[in-house]
Amino acid sequence: MTSDFETQLRAVSLRVTRPRLAVLAALWDHPHVDTDTVIALVRADQPTVSHQAVYDVLRALTDAGLVRRIQPAGAVARYESRVGDNHHHVVCRSCGTIADVECAVGHAPCLTASDDHGFVVDEAEVVYWGTCPGCATARTAQ
């Protein structure tokens, strides 16, 4: 997998560094994680990496389009390595778990706004809110 990450970095003209590879690996294995979790995951493999280095890597990877930053209302920013499509997310109101959701029907139908006001729409952000199965079961058991 490391060679795939190296190829991705080079494709967007970013130098291949250990912190960048570690962040990409963390996000590949753990989608929708916050910055503190990314730092902990990276430090498990590279204990000397600073907070600032991880923040800088996340910003560079996001700017380069290798990582997507999402921030559901009232939550901290999360990061994922799934980019290049227009998927959406479902968020649990109780525990904050986030999962990917494909566009509802057809080829990115959410990009066809009922009134685009003259904008050229290239992305839509849809967040579904609800209760995850684990929290729903816990509520029922109470």
Side-chain angles (χ1 to χ4, degrees):
M1 186 57 67
T2 300
S3 65
D4 290 342
F5 297 146
E6 290 173 0
T7 301
Q8 290 175 12
L9 290 167
R10 288 185 179 109
V12 295
S13 300
L14 288 177
R15 285 186 318 116
V16 175
T17 65
R18 289 181 39 205
R20 287 177 178 162
L21 292 172
V23 168
L24 284 171
L27 295 177
W28 178 264
D29 292 336
H30 305 277
H32 311 123
V33 291
D34 61 20
T35 307
D36 288 339
T37 303
V38 175
I39 292 168
L41 291 166
V42 168
R43 283 189 168 171
D45 187 45
Q46 297 180 31
T48 60
V49 173
S50 70
H51 280 73
Q52 190 60 51
V54 173
Y55 280 104
D56 291 345
V57 167
L58 286 169
R59 184 174 39 254
L61 296 176
T62 301
D63 290 347
L66 295 179
V67 167
R68 183 176 178 191
R69 180 183 185 274
I70 61 170
Q71 189 166 7
V76 298
R78 308 285 183 109
Y79 295 88
E80 64 181 343
S81 60
R82 182 176 171 185
V83 296
D85 66 357
N86 196 50
H87 72 279
H88 308 301
H89 297 95
V90 60
V91 181
C92 180
R93 291 184 188 279
S94 295
C95 69
T97 295
I98 300 173
D100 291 336
V101 177
E102 303 300 326
C103 275
V105 182
H107 178 64
C110 49
L111 293 182
T112 306
S114 59
D115 183 357
D116 62 19
H117 300 278
F119 284 66
V120 176
V121 178
D122 61 12
E123 182 177 358
E125 188 173 305
V126 176
V127 177
Y128 300 95
W129 292 89
T131 306
C132 73
C135 290
T137 300
R139 280 189 186 166
T140 305
Q142 291 178 353

